[in-house]
Amino acid sequence: MSTLNTGANIAGPDDFYAELLAAHDGLSKAESDAFNARLILLLANHIGDRQVLAQALQAARRRK
Amino acid sequence: MSKIFETPLYPYARSSDQDASVPVRHPVVVVGAGPIGLGAAIDLALHDIPVVVLDDNDKVSWGSRAVCYAKRPLEILDRLGCGEPMVNKGVEWKLGKVFFDERKVYDFNLLPEGGHRRPAFINLQQYHFEKAMVDRVRELQAQGKPIGLRGGNKAIAVEQRGDHVRIGVETPEGPYAIEADWLIACDGANSPIRAMLGLDFVGRVFEDNFLIADVVMEAKFPTERWFWFDPPFNRGQSALLHKQPDNVWRIDFQIGWDIDRQEELKPENIDRRLRAMLGQDIKYELEWRPIYTFQCRRMEKFHEGRVIFAGDAAHQVSPFGARGANSGLQDTDNLAWKLKLIIDGKAPAALLDSYDVERIHGADENILNSSRSTDFITPKSEASRLFRDAVLDLAEHFPATRPMVNSGRLSVPCTYDGSPLNGPDNAKMPKRTRAQASPMVDAPTANGFLLDRLPGRFHLLTINAEAPASLDVDGVTATRLALGPADDPDGFLKERYLGEAKSAVYLVRPDQHVAARWESHDDAAVRAALNTAVGRLA
């Protein structure tokens, strides 16, 4: 069974975080929301595995 | 010029039943002469079961109404003997385009493979469709088949009486009563029969209105289904353009929940919408302009005592996906042969339970698909609109989200996984024709298309395999159709029926669904599967 990787997995985490925020620079709230939706769909498609996606949905639902 | 839907096709005529001293008993009475009621009646008449159809009207349906008919129902209509005039009259199509705002973001082909007699879809006004069925009824009557069609006969009362039903009928000359061993209610989404029996019909209401403008015009749009999300001419809503025969175009505008119906229906307001969409200088004639809302719901059971429900009377879906009339015809396709066996005493009455199991499976599949389409087309929350728009935006540039674009998942027949009628399967053979009552897939053979060679009774289809010419199990007969290498020059049978196997024996139900399959004939196994397929306990 495939498992969602919830360990730290991105090389250069500060760089990525900065890129993510930079992508939102100058966007209105509505544009940012639309950007995020497109990003989620592209990443979800890349993952493809429904089990992993289900685990990601579950993990994202956790608030505390 | 009077239109076909203004001409009485089955005007009221006095029947001898009205002068009988005691109510006359009929094996089957059908209430409702729409596509589903007529389909049920024609099917039963072809099985030589006497059937009487009652309808309070005497004409085909008013306006175009259901216009998209899918391949599987066309195959069923071929079996009923009225597919050809419909396909000849209808507009064939298989391509669709999806627009978002002003851009085309996606297109699709519904039948990307060859080897089928019938197209993916035809568009045909429901009045033409019903006319072809009424013509078929007349043709069967001329051949002496036991089928009656009584216009101006409104069912106003129904009473379950154990082994039969008594029906009160109102006519222009006063009321009378008849009885039926079985009553099939095909009286539409608002089914009066269902209401008279106090049966539930629950589900989900969608808070939206749609305006249909069926217009007659000379236009050069291609024969494709065009669907708009959020177009400039209908901001924030959707729209559909689709061609019907005789230069009639189906145009469907989503117009929202809080509307003034009378205002929206004014010709000048419809005119403004049409010109914004199609250009200021169009010339057209408005043929039909209803506003509709819809629900997705079904009955808990599709039969109760001696009353059986089919079509919209049993289940209702949104129009996206053309799953209304198309699924109703699959109901009667599923029902007729079972009722025939029960009436002939060759199957237990419990066989009817499998009608519920299989067609509720179908209805749930249709409701699921149609609800999802509706949620995509008319997003009801900020998040759902956000993702819907993101899917459409990305679809223009990347294949990634194109499969999620949902402007209607168009009707395809369902496979009855888990049906109690299913027999043994064979894993070497293709999944699409698995013995889970999959619908048979058409294929060309040396002597015509496969489905035309499997009409209305049990068949033993052999491909490169031996079997007896026919096989009888307590009055139920399966007739062999033998195919060999000469029948498959293009490999369709291999692709659709053999897979990795060298040979195959398929037990095919009268409704052309697969009951069981093996690599070679085993008499005991085939007999057991035939018993299972007619609901006889092992």
PDB file of all heavy atoms in Angstrom, chain B residues 347-360:
ATOM      1  N   ALA B 347     -40.504 -19.163 -14.489  1.00  0.00           N
ATOM      2  CA  ALA B 347     -39.589 -18.597 -13.490  1.00  0.00           C
ATOM      3  C   ALA B 347     -40.413 -18.211 -12.277  1.00  0.00           C
ATOM      4  O   ALA B 347     -41.592 -17.871 -12.402  1.00  0.00           O
ATOM      5  CB  ALA B 347     -38.873 -17.371 -14.061  1.00  0.00           C
ATOM      6  N   PRO B 348     -39.808 -18.239 -11.104  1.00  0.00           N
ATOM      7  CA  PRO B 348     -40.537 -17.846  -9.895  1.00  0.00           C
ATOM      8  C   PRO B 348     -40.811 -16.342  -9.914  1.00  0.00           C
ATOM      9  O   PRO B 348     -40.053 -15.580 -10.517  1.00  0.00           O
ATOM     10  CB  PRO B 348     -39.569 -18.205  -8.762  1.00  0.00           C
ATOM     11  CG  PRO B 348     -38.219 -18.177  -9.388  1.00  0.00           C
ATOM     12  CD  PRO B 348     -38.410 -18.601 -10.816  1.00  0.00           C
ATOM     13  N   ALA B 349     -41.894 -15.938  -9.229  1.00  0.00           N
ATOM     14  CA  ALA B 349     -42.222 -14.505  -9.168  1.00  0.00           C
ATOM     15  C   ALA B 349     -41.065 -13.711  -8.580  1.00  0.00           C
ATOM     16  O   ALA B 349     -40.915 -12.518  -8.846  1.00  0.00           O
ATOM     17  CB  ALA B 349     -43.486 -14.293  -8.351  1.00  0.00           C
ATOM     18  N   ALA B 350     -40.226 -14.401  -7.806  1.00  0.00           N
ATOM     19  CA  ALA B 350     -39.074 -13.725  -7.192  1.00  0.00           C
ATOM     20  C   ALA B 350     -38.081 -13.213  -8.232  1.00  0.00           C
ATOM     21  O   ALA B 350     -37.228 -12.379  -7.913  1.00  0.00           O
ATOM     22  CB  ALA B 350     -38.367 -14.671  -6.221  1.00  0.00           C
ATOM     23  N   LEU B 351     -38.201 -13.683  -9.480  1.00  0.00           N
ATOM     24  CA  LEU B 351     -37.311 -13.154 -10.522  1.00  0.00           C
ATOM     25  C   LEU B 351     -37.475 -11.636 -10.638  1.00  0.00           C
ATOM     26  O   LEU B 351     -36.552 -10.921 -11.003  1.00  0.00           O
ATOM     27  CB  LEU B 351     -37.608 -13.824 -11.877  1.00  0.00           C
ATOM     28  CG  LEU B 351     -36.787 -13.353 -13.092  1.00  0.00           C
ATOM     29  CD1 LEU B 351     -35.294 -13.543 -12.867  1.00  0.00           C
ATOM     30  CD2 LEU B 351     -37.230 -14.087 -14.354  1.00  0.00           C
ATOM     31  N   LEU B 352     -38.688 -11.179 -10.287  1.00  0.00           N
ATOM     32  CA  LEU B 352     -38.948  -9.745 -10.347  1.00  0.00           C
ATOM     33  C   LEU B 352     -38.073  -8.965  -9.358  1.00  0.00           C
ATOM     34  O   LEU B 352     -37.768  -7.787  -9.577  1.00  0.00           O
ATOM     35  CB  LEU B 352     -40.429  -9.495 -10.053  1.00  0.00           C
ATOM     36  CG  LEU B 352     -41.071  -8.235 -10.635  1.00  0.00           C
ATOM     37  CD1 LEU B 352     -40.784  -8.083 -12.122  1.00  0.00           C
ATOM     38  CD2 LEU B 352     -42.559  -8.258 -10.364  1.00  0.00           C
ATOM     39  N   ASP B 353     -37.671  -9.625  -8.275  1.00  0.00           N
ATOM     40  CA  ASP B 353     -36.771  -8.950  -7.323  1.00  0.00           C
ATOM     41  C   ASP B 353     -35.466  -8.544  -8.003  1.00  0.00           C
ATOM     42  O   ASP B 353     -34.851  -7.543  -7.645  1.00  0.00           O
ATOM     43  CB  ASP B 353     -36.458  -9.853  -6.124  1.00  0.00           C
ATOM     44  CG  ASP B 353     -37.701 -10.121  -5.285  1.00  0.00           C
ATOM     45  OD1 ASP B 353     -38.669  -9.333  -5.390  1.00  0.00           O
ATOM     46  OD2 ASP B 353     -37.702 -11.125  -4.540  1.00  0.00           O
ATOM     47  N   SER B 354     -35.051  -9.345  -9.002  1.00  0.00           N
ATOM     48  CA  SER B 354     -33.804  -9.005  -9.689  1.00  0.00           C
ATOM     49  C   SER B 354     -33.985  -7.770 -10.573  1.00  0.00           C
ATOM     50  O   SER B 354     -33.021  -7.072 -10.885  1.00  0.00           O
ATOM     51  CB  SER B 354     -33.296 -10.182 -10.527  1.00  0.00           C
ATOM     52  OG  SER B 354     -34.087 -10.342 -11.695  1.00  0.00           O
ATOM     53  N   TYR B 355     -35.242  -7.500 -10.977  1.00  0.00           N
ATOM     54  CA  TYR B 355     -35.507  -6.237 -11.699  1.00  0.00           C
ATOM     55  C   TYR B 355     -35.176  -5.064 -10.773  1.00  0.00           C
ATOM     56  O   TYR B 355     -34.515  -4.110 -11.166  1.00  0.00           O
ATOM     57  CB  TYR B 355     -36.962  -6.189 -12.160  1.00  0.00           C
ATOM     58  CG  TYR B 355     -37.416  -4.828 -12.659  1.00  0.00           C
ATOM     59  CD1 TYR B 355     -36.934  -4.309 -13.862  1.00  0.00           C
ATOM     60  CD2 TYR B 355     -38.322  -4.048 -11.925  1.00  0.00           C
ATOM     61  CE1 TYR B 355     -37.348  -3.058 -14.319  1.00  0.00           C
ATOM     62  CE2 TYR B 355     -38.739  -2.794 -12.372  1.00  0.00           C
ATOM     63  CZ  TYR B 355     -38.240  -2.307 -13.573  1.00  0.00           C
ATOM     64  OH  TYR B 355     -38.642  -1.070 -14.018  1.00  0.00           O
ATOM     65  N   ASP B 356     -35.628  -5.163  -9.530  1.00  0.00           N
ATOM     66  CA  ASP B 356     -35.308  -4.112  -8.553  1.00  0.00           C
ATOM     67  C   ASP B 356     -33.798  -4.009  -8.349  1.00  0.00           C
ATOM     68  O   ASP B 356     -33.222  -2.928  -8.410  1.00  0.00           O
ATOM     69  CB  ASP B 356     -35.975  -4.413  -7.203  1.00  0.00           C
ATOM     70  CG  ASP B 356     -37.453  -4.046  -7.206  1.00  0.00           C
ATOM     71  OD1 ASP B 356     -38.128  -4.365  -8.197  1.00  0.00           O
ATOM     72  OD2 ASP B 356     -37.924  -3.443  -6.225  1.00  0.00           O
ATOM     73  N   VAL B 357     -33.164  -5.153  -8.088  1.00  0.00           N
ATOM     74  CA  VAL B 357     -31.724  -5.133  -7.794  1.00  0.00           C
ATOM     75  C   VAL B 357     -30.967  -4.487  -8.948  1.00  0.00           C
ATOM     76  O   VAL B 357     -30.160  -3.572  -8.758  1.00  0.00           O
ATOM     77  CB  VAL B 357     -31.185  -6.567  -7.564  1.00  0.00           C
ATOM     78  CG1 VAL B 357     -29.655  -6.575  -7.516  1.00  0.00           C
ATOM     79  CG2 VAL B 357     -31.760  -7.158  -6.281  1.00  0.00           C
ATOM     80  N   GLU B 358     -31.260  -4.946 -10.169  1.00  0.00           N
ATOM     81  CA  GLU B 358     -30.461  -4.488 -11.309  1.00  0.00           C
ATOM     82  C   GLU B 358     -30.785  -3.053 -11.700  1.00  0.00           C
ATOM     83  O   GLU B 358     -29.896  -2.245 -11.960  1.00  0.00           O
ATOM     84  CB  GLU B 358     -30.662  -5.453 -12.491  1.00  0.00           C
ATOM     85  CG  GLU B 358     -30.109  -6.835 -12.163  1.00  0.00           C
ATOM     86  CD  GLU B 358     -30.152  -7.826 -13.316  1.00  0.00           C
ATOM     87  OE1 GLU B 358     -30.948  -7.629 -14.261  1.00  0.00           O
ATOM     88  OE2 GLU B 358     -29.393  -8.824 -13.256  1.00  0.00           O
ATOM     89  N   ARG B 359     -32.062  -2.725 -11.733  1.00  0.00           N
ATOM     90  CA  ARG B 359     -32.394  -1.369 -12.195  1.00  0.00           C
ATOM     91  C   ARG B 359     -32.230  -0.311 -11.103  1.00  0.00           C
ATOM     92  O   ARG B 359     -32.056   0.863 -11.407  1.00  0.00           O
ATOM     93  CB  ARG B 359     -33.780  -1.344 -12.823  1.00  0.00           C
ATOM     94  CG  ARG B 359     -33.867  -2.112 -14.139  1.00  0.00           C
ATOM     95  CD  ARG B 359     -32.703  -1.824 -15.086  1.00  0.00           C
ATOM     96  NE  ARG B 359     -32.657  -0.412 -15.477  1.00  0.00           N
ATOM     97  CZ  ARG B 359     -31.596   0.184 -15.992  1.00  0.00           C
ATOM     98  NH1 ARG B 359     -30.469  -0.478 -16.160  1.00  0.00           N
ATOM     99  NH2 ARG B 359     -31.632   1.457 -16.303  1.00  0.00           N
ATOM    100  N   ILE B 360     -32.267  -0.729  -9.831  1.00  0.00           N
ATOM    101  CA  ILE B 360     -31.922   0.227  -8.777  1.00  0.00           C
ATOM    102  C   ILE B 360     -30.421   0.507  -8.846  1.00  0.00           C
ATOM    103  O   ILE B 360     -29.972   1.642  -8.697  1.00  0.00           O
ATOM    104  CB  ILE B 360     -32.372  -0.286  -7.390  1.00  0.00           C
ATOM    105  CG1 ILE B 360     -33.885  -0.105  -7.269  1.00  0.00           C
ATOM    106  CG2 ILE B 360     -31.640   0.453  -6.269  1.00  0.00           C
ATOM    107  CD1 ILE B 360     -34.496  -0.668  -6.001  1.00  0.00           C
TER     108      ILE B 360
END
